[in-house]
Amino acid sequence: MKDDNLPMVSPQAGRDLAEGSLARVREAYEHFAEAGEMALNAFETSMAQSFEGWRSVMGSSRETAHQLSDSNVAGARRMREQWDAAGARLYNAFEDNAAHTMAAMREIGHRMLVASDTNVRASLDFAERLAKAADAREMAALHVTFMQEQSRRLTDQMVDLHQTTSRLAREAASRTETP
């Protein structure tokens, strides 16, 4: 069935249109990737500021406790020292765990971003090669090659992610086992 109402487009014009569209898609993706990196950096900055806030709150609570106990008797002084020691241990454990958790989340997030970026770029490269294909046979060969490469790439990425999360889980478990 042929629709005579549609304009005739030469194969070269179709390829040029596809290549131009791919160039615009690639440029849009670059902007998207840059925005994602900026968002990740903003999140890290926000978390660092939160930790600084915790530090200042803990410092002011300790200072208040010092002032109150200094005006009391020796028993209050011992209580203050116990309070300080317990508070310091608790805060240090919290800060240490939070720092390790954030580092683990960052590493996993980074690996996921790198994997997705690799996959998107491979897909765009494939689309460019496909747009330049001379005939259906070449298109089919490109498709088979891309699917094989993509399968290997995804397998490698899943193995890497599994190894990373397993390592991070082992590190977290070893930190909780140590007193």
Side-chain angles (χ1 to χ4, degrees), residues 51 89-105 171-172 175-176:
F51 284 128
R89 282 192 309 271
L90 177 64
Y91 177 74
N92 290 338
F94 168 77
E95 186 175 29
D96 186 52
N97 284 337
H100 285 292
T101 300
M102 288 302 299
M105 287 172 43
E171 289 173 5
R175 277 193 310 279
T176 59

Side-chain angles (χ1 to χ4, degrees), residues 124-145:
L124 291 172
D125 291 343
F126 167 67
E128 279 181 1
R129 288 191 309 272
L130 202 57
K132 294 176 182 177
D135 57 16
R137 186 178 308 263
E138 185 180 352
M139 290 174 116
L142 287 170
H143 190 76
V144 167
T145 302

Side-chain angles (χ1 to χ4, degrees), residues 24-83:
R24 287 190 300 280
V25 167
R26 191 177 291 275
E27 182 181 339
Y29 176 73
E30 292 296 332
H31 290 297
F32 174 76
E34 184 179 321
E37 191 171 328
M38 289 170 50
L40 183 61
N41 290 338
F43 174 74
E44 288 176 348
T45 301
S46 172
M47 290 305 293
Q49 289 170 348
S50 295
F51 284 128
E52 285 303 314
W54 266 93
R55 282 190 185 106
S56 67
V57 166
M58 287 302 292
S60 67
S61 297
R62 286 182 185 163
E63 190 58 39
T64 302
H66 285 294
Q67 289 171 358
L68 289 174
S69 66
D70 283 344
S71 66
N72 245 330
V73 290
R77 186 175 306 275
R78 279 191 310 274
M79 217 150 96
R80 183 200 75 200
E81 289 168 358
Q82 291 172 351
W83 165 267

